[in-house]
Amino acid sequence: MSKVIKGGTVVTADLTYEADVKIEGGVITEIGPDLSGDEILDASGCYVMPGGIDPHVHLEMPFMGTYSADDFASGTRAAVSGGTTMVVDFCLPDPGQSLMDALMRWDNKSTLATCDYSFHMAITWWGEQVFNEMETVVREKGINTFKHFLAYKGSLMVNDDELFASFQRCAELGAMPLVHAENGDVVASMSAKLLEEGNVGPEAHAYSRPPEVEGEATNRAIMLADMAGVPLYVVHTSCEQSHEAIRRARQKGMRVYGEPLIQHLTLDESEYFDKDWDHAARRVMSPPFRNKMHQDSLWAGLQAGSLSCVATDHCAFTTDQKRYGVGDFTKIPNGTGGLEDRLPMLWTYGVGTGRLTMNEFVAVTSTNIAKILNMYPKKGAILVGADADIVVWDPKRSKTITAANQVSTIDYSVFEGKEVTGLPRFTLSRGKVMVEESTLKTEEGHGEFVARQPYTAV
Amino acid sequence: MSKVIKGGTVVTADLTYEADVKIEGGVITEIGPDLSGDEILDASGCYVMPGGIDPHVHLEMPFMGTYSADDFASGTRAAVSGGTTMVVDFCLPDPGQSLMDALMRWDNKSTLATCDYSFHMAITWWGEQVFNEMETVVREKGINTFKHFLAYKGSLMVNDDELFASFQRCAELGAMPLVHAENGDVVASMSAKLLEEGNVGPEAHAYSRPPEVEGEATNRAIMLADMAGVPLYVVHTSCEQSHEAIRRARQKGMRVYGEPLIQHLTLDESEYFDKDWDHAARRVMSPPFRNKMHQDSLWAGLQAGSLSCVATDHCAFTTDQKRYGVGDFTKIPNGTGGLEDRLPMLWTYGVGTGRLTMNEFVAVTSTNIAKILNMYPKKGAILVGADADIVVWDPKRSKTITAANQVSTIDYSVFEGKEVTGLPRFTLSRGKVMVEESTLKTEEGHGEFVARQPYTAV
Amino acid sequence: MSKVIKGGTVVTADLTYEADVKIEGGVITEIGPDLSGDEILDASGCYVMPGGIDPHVHLEMPFMGTYSADDFASGTRAAVSGGTTMVVDFCLPDPGQSLMDALMRWDNKSTLATCDYSFHMAITWWGEQVFNEMETVVREKGINTFKHFLAYKGSLMVNDDELFASFQRCAELGAMPLVHAENGDVVASMSAKLLEEGNVGPEAHAYSRPPEVEGEATNRAIMLADMAGVPLYVVHTSCEQSHEAIRRARQKGMRVYGEPLIQHLTLDESEYFDKDWDHAARRVMSPPFRNKMHQDSLWAGLQAGSLSCVATDHCAFTTDQKRYGVGDFTKIPNGTGGLEDRLPMLWTYGVGTGRLTMNEFVAVTSTNIAKILNMYPKKGAILVGADADIVVWDPKRSKTITAANQVSTIDYSVFEGKEVTGLPRFTLSRGKVMVEESTLKTEEGHGEFVARQPYTAV
Amino acid sequence: MSKVIKGGTVVTADLTYEADVKIEGGVITEIGPDLSGDEILDASGCYVMPGGIDPHVHLEMPFMGTYSADDFASGTRAAVSGGTTMVVDFCLPDPGQSLMDALMRWDNKSTLATCDYSFHMAITWWGEQVFNEMETVVREKGINTFKHFLAYKGSLMVNDDELFASFQRCAELGAMPLVHAENGDVVASMSAKLLEEGNVGPEAHAYSRPPEVEGEATNRAIMLADMAGVPLYVVHTSCEQSHEAIRRARQKGMRVYGEPLIQHLTLDESEYFDKDWDHAARRVMSPPFRNKMHQDSLWAGLQAGSLSCVATDHCAFTTDQKRYGVGDFTKIPNGTGGLEDRLPMLWTYGVGTGRLTMNEFVAVTSTNIAKILNMYPKKGAILVGADADIVVWDPKRSKTITAANQVSTIDYSVFEGKEVTGLPRFTLSRGKVMVEESTLKTEEGHGEFVARQPYTAV
Ligand SMILES: [Zn+2]
Ligand SMILES: [Zn+2]
Ligand SMILES: [Zn+2]
Ligand SMILES: [Zn+2]
Ligand SMILES: [Zn+2]
Ligand SMILES: [Zn+2]
Ligand SMILES: [Zn+2]
Ligand SMILES: [Zn+2]
């Protein structure tokens, strides 16, 4: 049975043109004028774009004996409701745990996903076993990216020695390292000091990790990657300091990619000064929101190409979960939602304001990500043969974001009250219509794991 | 009658994949496995890439009562022999001359072109007539780019006032200004001083226009473009100073494009110190060759994306013509050749050394140019519907560049003695095979003018 | 008759130590403990510092048939009341006027000065006469600095050709060029456009000359100075763009000095949005006030040493004079006051906040200026043999700035309402006490011209 | 008994003037014309400057059971022979050793010094004892600077946690941290890899620690200092990467000082490629010599003020000692000589070439150092009351540097064959003539320890 998306304007990372798109067996089989098929999706007045890819989410992430609130079912449902058709989650081994064992747990969790997904593997400890299993992960498990935490001292953090060893291992395997770049020693020390001085509220979270602390870690990771001879992907680049390190490296010819989050692009540190503890705590994430000067830097980076993609770091905790940290900001679970809002927010604040072209919007939300993570053009493309992960984007639809109407299971939204113009008319995952305007037609378990090969060509 | 390029690997600005390419009526009609057609071109072991586009050439350019040596016939023959399938020339009105009249002259000159071409219009004087004719040029003549000379005082140069007026006019028309960025006042003053002091040889040409002089003019043009609200294209970016100004602007979100020449990427200022006057004079061009630090900067710019495309500024004068300047370097006609060497040189020194990926090679020699000049995907693409301007690139073929074997009509090559690996097996212009290895099958007059619309989407 | 400043702490650009200072015949004759003399000035609890030098004032400046409101009498009275013991004014020849004739006018105007003064000579037109007279100015008139306006098109502005010629002439004479750096062509064009569009109020003054316009002109002047082989002094550096150009140049080893004004360090562009026309118009000066990001840049420049001195550009017009520009912002006389507030404001916002050390305060208000303008250690020093231009600074005295109590003759203050802590207890001009706390003891005509030699050693 | 230096030109960090200088009791007692005294030193044709201060030497440094070849006797003899009148050595506690015990060893070693000296205390391990003893060191021992090694893993290196703790402790005590900035983890890993691959020669030492490795460590130390709220002094800044980090920090208002070595300013990495093992090994030091681009950066930093002082890191090992490392470059003792050559080399390559003024020469070799280390104006000044540490500099004297004639005890010189113009006629240590042209009149034990107070005013 074939579907045709009819009457729309195809917008890709490098083209804008009128065409119908035909889908059969989950892939795009024809692009051109006047196509016919068994089922017609009316795209008139709409842009037909590659579905969004969120390179950075944490669904059902283990935390203090419980889990982040959105699991693969609700998380991917939120994703498609906002036009995102693929997510990449992080497999997080416990200290000492086999990478394979951890991966099995993530495989199990992801069975209910509505849209496709892939994994980054985190290197949370180091040893011969990890060294060896990395090869299996790359060669047999379809994972070509390894995440490293320079922060979260005492739990996820690895030291420079381990980092450098892992980066060199990545180089051998054709894999790419990712880093959460904040100096964990300083964060730990500052946090202890703040608590000691009685600064226990959510605003102290921001004080504990200023921009210089992120810039330093980014700069260090870049040097290590350069010495190891691997490219580097810096997740959640939130500030000018980190961006500066990235573009300085790029200007020497190094292959470094920066990923601002939609939150950092549109929200600022004043959120932490809200008198309502809940309001502030719900925004606690690492790195924290920054001031507007940093926002300007991030937008300019997307315009100039010195920053490469936009993610969410979706890691949703309920207000109840956030309240674990009353009286001690270091116990507030780090993370915010945003999966369903990334595309509408970026369209509204990026394309709507003239900062980004539509093609750049597609590039930073989908195509660049697919290329960097080595799954282009299966994903991130409107091309014959590509997966039919498509969003039919209605630039006229608008809404006011509110937790009351959101798909994510948590009880608030960091974007509460924001008006967005530009929303999906249809979202398709491998040809299946998952969303039609406000109606969800998602199917648990439809999502499949996307294997990604090493030696990215980008 | 159909042609099929068979057995090759298609390489575009963002994809590398094995496929055959079918051509009918001058355009690509099918891309995929196992295609058949009336004529087969064997691409086994080869890369099938969009033909090169040279955004910056001067064919049969009027000069002191004579013309630059390569005309549209020989120049485009040289182009296709090296895999370039389109050139963009500069229409240069005389002071006071109607833009329309000048364009007619360029139309006449270009009738013998072997491959397709387009024009930039130069603004060499200013007045109400120019202001008005710019609209006609854009709306009726298919030209969306206007060149401005900040140097060549007393002939082509326009002052800041005129520049700003023209940039504002471009903004109204959706056109993009181009600049030759050197401070003409300083160059004139320095040249006079050097001559006065007895520095009359070709090396004094370089002394008269150091990098700071180019950097200043670039910086000034960027500010004017920013104030006028237009993007800007900086031709022949030769040095770190100019590149720095461009990337500083880009990092503020300004849309500025830099164009290094293959000469500046691979040759340096030591050429001017050759004891042979002819050797040095043949390399006289503006901006002059720079030192290796500047080369590093240009390569890094291509890697980082802060520089956008690679051109030649092909403006070939014979040794006899160069000798007009014996005893007075300011009379040496400015310009060098390179049209047929751009692709092999960039491949050898860029892809062969690991600086650039193959996809980046295609981007900077073809696709980026097509996008920036608003003729993508008609040009610069391997897509169904695109013009079949294609080079079938044999990465194993090699040669030593020598004037003795070159296609250009001049009697020397600035790349004399350079060994290149990577050469066309076939070059096709709108489906017609113009080159098969060393055999030229060019056809005078086959080339057509390519009209380009305003309001580039890039 | 001798005086001794007793019981204070001497603070110079590089030292802080307790000592008495003895003065005889207008110069310092002894520095040390337990000095005695005919008259004792009690400096207990105070800092004994070199009197401030304002390198940039316009007293009784001709304007539209009238003059700026503070003349040499009232202006220097204001100066000493705030601890400034020397000012440098600008001699402004009319177009075509002999530099000598202009200088005679300035000599005449300055006879009533209370404190010492010197002149910069402005190059407002170009020709053989100017070229020749520059030598006389330098060799016979004790002026080693030449001011150039890159803005004020149609009146003071010189073009690049003239600028470069003058810079080269400065190089020959051992003189240093100064520049008012804004692109006059753009300012003129933008101003016309704004007026045309009905933007006639004072806020449009700021719109007509954004930071990029200043940055460009600074960058251009630096290149010209570099090519001419002279150092360069950039007056009223107001923004990051201009500062960036200066520090980029300095980082190449070029000798470039930047002069932020106390106004730009402490006031911002929001002043222009005041609904009161008078309020806004009184703040109209060029360059205009900038946003806080630019303020941060200027302060950091003083801390890092990339900016060298702090001035006022004191050019006071009354509200009546400002009102010439009602209905046309281009007719509002450019200039603000500040001579008497520079030291207290910089102490309060610089030293008081911990941004600057006391020694840095002395450096940027006095010593650096004396060195750069080549009159150190006659001026700018607490050394035996130096002129006894001294301020005895009481770090505890405070006041609220208000026009009601100011010395300047104008009817308002741009610093109205600012509280300052740190004020002179005594100000001495060549040993004569001119100010004792709030009591003025100034003497018209006491001030002398300070001749400055070429070939600055700095 | 009094001495008068007669007929010279006094050159200080901010003045150049003709005067005699009178000395009594080891201090300067009078400066002025026509002074008389018991003994006259003829300074005609000479510059009378503050004696050099070398802020970074290692005399009799313990190493593998032996010591660096120059001890305090021969080292300070070498110093004064070249116009340096004070050195600052590093007290290096063993792991676990009391700072007090270490200091006692250094006190013992230094008894034979010919000129004055001071100590930096190194933090080579961390614990409550160190934390507590730091206070004693600062309050009772006259040491206000603490050195930290980010390299030398397994021996001197401290980790980020310790570094940050120590920096915070410095902040409390008003002390300033110093850092040897190279990433020790990377150096160790690279060294092991190089050895493994058979790269055992001295050139591999340079490969093991490229500029990025130094830049990273500098950047990290700056962030830590910023977070701790202390200024920072970066020893042996050798490359653009480190310099860039320093000036970026300074441009944010941070107080960071960079110290290039005379070796890095004048020698380059090509030395390591000499076929003679001894030649290369004698140049092994950390950081290693860099290429000429880095030299340009260092010189420009001295000109712009973004780098503050010039040192030697004098740590002289004989060829025999260097040969410990035959077959394993990691065993070559790190260090070169230079104490006696710093001033002549910097004068020749700095002042002689026009890069630096004479005043800047004094600043970077003496006055800036005295200020930053908080011993100005006792040291680093030609002022009444200052110690009579003076060099009478003959700008016409010249020599060719050769080990054959050097004062240092080692058997070679890294500056062998360099011609220098500008040498001491006299060197005085607290008024005692130690050197008269080529004649040494040094006195073992004349040197005294210089106590330095916390809370530097600079
Ligand atoms: Zn993270
Ligand atoms: Zn995350
Ligand atoms: Zn040109
Ligand atoms: Zn050209
Ligand atoms: Zn001005
Ligand atoms: Zn002024
Ligand atoms: Zn060291
Ligand atoms: Zn050392």
Side-chain angles (χ1 to χ4, degrees), chain B residues 206-412:
Chain B
Y207 302 156
S208 73
R209 47 218 321 145
E212 296 293 344
V213 173
E214 180 184 346
E216 185 283 318
T218 302
N219 192 71
R220 181 157 35 102
I222 287 170
M223 184 276 285
L224 292 169
D226 184 46
M227 293 297 294
V230 273
L232 181 71
Y233 184 104
V234 181
V235 305
H236 47 48
T237 306
S238 80
C239 62
E240 160 61 11
Q241 278 82 343
S242 181
H243 180 197
E244 187 277 332
I246 290 168
R247 65 178 189 257
R248 182 159 35 89
R250 289 175 62 91
Q251 283 301 337
K252 294 172 188 164
M254 300 179 197
R255 304 298 176 147
V256 182
Y257 307 103
E259 170 206 88
L261 305 184
I262 187 62
Q263 294 93 321
H264 289 115
L265 286 162
T266 59
L267 301 173
D268 69 53
E269 61 181 3
S270 64
E271 304 280 349
Y272 299 120
F273 304 122
D274 197 285
K275 285 175 185 162
D276 176 10
W277 190 96
D278 284 349
H279 182 100
R282 286 161 174 165
R283 273 84 183 162
V284 164
M285 62 180 302
S286 297
F289 301 160
R290 309 296 192 183
N291 71 30
K292 289 188 188 303
M293 185 273 282
H294 296 288
Q295 287 185 9
D296 288 347
S297 171
L298 299 182
W299 282 107
L302 293 176
Q303 293 173 300
S306 51
L307 298 176
S308 303
C309 26
V310 175
T312 61
D313 198 3
H314 187 93
C315 187
F317 291 101
T318 62
T319 303
D320 277 355
Q321 289 176 311
K322 289 282 186 181
R323 288 182 184 160
Y324 293 166
V326 170
D328 179 350
F329 71 87
T330 65
K331 297 216 166 65
I332 302 172
N334 276 224
T336 69
L339 243 175
E340 65 201 278
D341 306 314
R342 183 176 62 125
L343 265 53
M345 283 295 290
L346 190 72
W347 184 274
T348 302
Y349 287 90
V351 179
T353 57
R355 282 164 170 152
L356 302 179
T357 64
M358 294 191 295
N359 308 97
E360 288 170 336
F361 172 86
V362 171
V364 300
T365 56
S366 179
T367 307
N368 288 356
I369 298 164
K371 288 180 183 174
I372 293 169
L373 300 184
N374 210 15
M375 51 191 180
Y376 183 79
K378 174 183 170 62
K379 299 294 186 187
I382 301 290
L383 285 175
V384 170
D387 282 357
D389 282 9
I390 296 175
V391 60
V392 177
W393 191 258
D394 185 343
K396 297 255 171 68
R397 275 191 78 209
S398 65
K399 71 169 182 182
T400 301
I401 295 176
T402 175
N405 298 335
Q406 80 189 357
V407 177
S408 165
T409 57
I410 59 168
D411 58 318
Y412 62 91

Side-chain angles (χ1 to χ4, degrees), chain D residues 9 74 110 230 246 267 345 349:
Chain D
T9 299
S74 72
S110 58
V230 274
I246 290 169
L267 301 173
M345 283 294 291
Y349 287 90

Side-chain angles (χ1 to χ4, degrees), chain B residues 56 58 147 149 152 180 235-236 286 313:
Chain B
H56 188 162
H58 302 275
K147 170 79 172 288
F149 295 87
Y152 300 123
H180 171 129
V235 305
H236 47 48
S286 297
D313 198 3

Side-chain angles (χ1 to χ4, degrees), chain D residues 46 81 347-348 392-399 420-426 435-439:
Chain D
C46 286
S81 79
W347 183 275
T348 303
V392 177
W393 192 257
D394 185 343
K396 298 254 169 68
R397 276 191 77 209
S398 66
K399 71 170 182 181
V420 290
T421 300
L423 283 166
R425 180 179 294 174
F426 300 104
V435 177
E436 181 170 354
E437 300 215 325
S438 306
T439 311

Side-chain angles (χ1 to χ4, degrees), chain D residues 22-349:
Chain D
K22 186 168 187 173
I23 299 161
E24 288 164 299
V27 300
I28 297 171
T29 53
E30 204 175 348
I31 303 171
D34 303 321
L35 304 184
S36 55
D38 302 323
E39 186 187 342
I40 300 299
L41 300 178
D42 176 18
S44 54
C46 286
Y47 300 117
V48 179
M49 309 190 293
I53 302 172
D54 196 325
H56 188 162
V57 305
H58 301 277
L59 301 176
E60 206 182 330
M61 190 184 76
F63 168 74
M64 290 186 167
T66 174
Y67 292 92
S68 66
D70 278 317
D71 58 15
F72 277 82
S74 72
T76 55
R77 212 154 46 221
V80 296
S81 79
T84 288
T85 55
M86 180 175 173
V87 298
V88 191
D89 205 286
F90 293 80
C91 175
L92 302 171
D94 294 329
Q97 189 186 25
S98 152
L99 306 189
M100 295 306 126
D101 291 352
L103 195 50
M104 196 172 306
R105 286 177 60 192
W106 254 257
D107 282 340
N108 291 340
K109 285 196 277 196
S110 58
T111 52
L112 297 184
T114 271
C115 68
D116 288 359
Y117 56 90
S118 191
F119 298 134
H120 307 288
M121 174 60 69
I123 300 300
T124 57
W125 62 286
W126 191 246
E128 203 183 332
Q129 185 184 355
V130 173
F131 179 90
N132 291 329
E133 289 185 339
M134 284 175 79
E135 184 166 9
T136 315
V137 164
V138 169
R139 304 247 164 109
E140 299 175 17
K141 299 296 180 184
I143 295 179
N144 67 3
T145 40
F146 291 93
K147 170 78 172 288
H148 305 78
F149 294 87
L150 283 66
Y152 300 123
K153 190 176 181 178
S155 57
L156 300 165
M157 179 170 146
V158 283
N159 66 30
D160 280 14
D161 235 11
E162 297 165 335
L163 213 50
F164 191 44
S166 178
F167 282 17
Q168 289 175 304
R169 183 60 171 154
C170 286
E172 289 165 2
L173 297 171
M176 181 171 65
L178 278 63
V179 288
H180 171 129
E182 295 183 296
N183 186 305
D185 285 321
V186 170
V187 171
S189 174
M190 291 298 290
S191 297
K193 200 175 168 198
L194 285 157
L195 288 177
E196 209 179 289
E197 295 167 355
N199 287 298
V200 300
E203 69 287 0
H205 174 75
Y207 302 157
S208 73
R209 47 218 319 146
E212 296 294 344
V213 172
E214 180 184 346
E216 185 283 318
T218 302
N219 192 71
R220 181 156 36 100
I222 287 170
M223 183 277 285
L224 292 169
D226 183 47
M227 293 297 293
V230 274
L232 181 71
Y233 184 104
V234 181
V235 305
H236 48 46
T237 308
S238 81
C239 62
E240 160 61 11
Q241 278 82 345
S242 181
H243 180 197
E244 188 277 331
I246 290 169
R247 66 179 189 257
R248 182 157 37 87
R250 290 174 61 89
Q251 284 300 336
K252 294 172 188 164
M254 300 178 197
R255 305 298 176 147
V256 182
Y257 308 103
E259 171 205 87
L261 305 183
I262 186 62
Q263 294 93 321
H264 290 115
L265 286 162
T266 59
L267 301 173
D268 69 53
E269 62 183 0
S270 64
E271 304 281 349
Y272 299 119
F273 304 122
D274 197 285
K275 285 173 186 165
D276 176 11
W277 190 96
D278 283 348
H279 181 100
R282 288 160 174 166
R283 273 82 183 163
V284 164
M285 62 180 301
S286 298
F289 301 159
R290 309 297 193 183
N291 72 29
K292 289 185 188 307
M293 185 273 282
H294 296 288
Q295 287 185 8
D296 288 347
S297 171
L298 299 182
W299 282 107
L302 293 176
Q303 295 173 301
S306 52
L307 297 176
S308 303
C309 25
V310 175
T312 62
D313 198 1
H314 186 92
C315 188
F317 291 101
T318 62
T319 303
D320 277 355
Q321 289 175 312
K322 289 282 187 181
R323 288 181 185 161
Y324 294 165
V326 170
D328 180 350
F329 71 87
T330 65
K331 297 216 166 66
I332 302 171
N334 275 223
T336 69
L339 243 175
E340 65 202 277
D341 305 314
R342 183 177 62 125
L343 264 53
M345 283 294 291
L346 191 72
W347 183 275
T348 303
Y349 287 90

Side-chain angles (χ1 to χ4, degrees), chain C residues 197-248:
Chain C
E197 296 167 354
N199 287 298
V200 300
E203 70 286 1
H205 174 75
Y207 302 157
S208 72
R209 46 218 319 145
E212 296 292 345
V213 172
E214 180 184 347
E216 185 283 317
T218 302
N219 192 71
R220 181 156 36 101
I222 287 170
M223 183 277 285
L224 292 169
D226 184 46
M227 293 298 294
V230 274
L232 181 72
Y233 184 104
V234 181
V235 305
H236 48 48
T237 306
S238 80
C239 62
E240 160 62 11
Q241 278 82 345
S242 181
H243 180 196
E244 187 276 333
I246 290 169
R247 66 179 190 258
R248 182 157 38 86

